[in-house]
Amino acid sequence: MATNYNFSRSSLLNEQYQREMDLIAVALQEESQDEREERVSLVAHAWSLTAACFQSQLEVSESLVYSSPVVLARP
């Protein structure tokens, strides 16, 4: 019974995924060159901001890791 349920659920999720992918494919085909270039530009800008944010977080985390033993060693 559980296997049948999982198969049915998996089948429904697969159908839903396929419908959504079909909609995306149609939208991309209808997209103009200007819209495509704008989207790529937005993604590139967002990526650089995301990378900078993660780099900043990494630097903060590293400084906390390196300073923690010093703080713990003090009486």
Side-chain angles (χ1 to χ4, degrees):
M1 180 74 170
T3 304
N4 191 21
Y5 172 75
N6 289 340
F7 179 75
S8 296
R9 184 165 188 241
S10 175
S11 178
L12 289 174
L13 289 174
N14 190 26
E15 289 174 20
Q16 180 182 5
Y17 171 81
Q18 190 59 51
R19 278 194 307 271
E20 290 177 7
M21 293 309 293
D22 290 343
L23 289 173
I24 291 170
V26 168
L28 288 174
Q29 289 172 354
E30 294 174 352
E31 185 178 51
S32 72
Q33 183 66 28
D34 288 342
E35 291 170 324
R36 209 176 353 258
E37 289 173 2
E38 181 182 1
R39 182 171 43 85
V40 169
S41 172
L42 290 172
V43 169
H45 182 69
W47 177 255
S48 65
L49 291 175
T50 301
C53 180
F54 278 115
Q55 182 62 37
S56 168
Q57 284 295 111
L58 182 61
E59 290 170 1
V60 168
S61 296
E62 286 176 349
S63 68
L64 290 174
V65 168
Y66 292 131
S67 65
S68 294
V70 174
V71 173
L72 295 174
R74 292 184 179 180

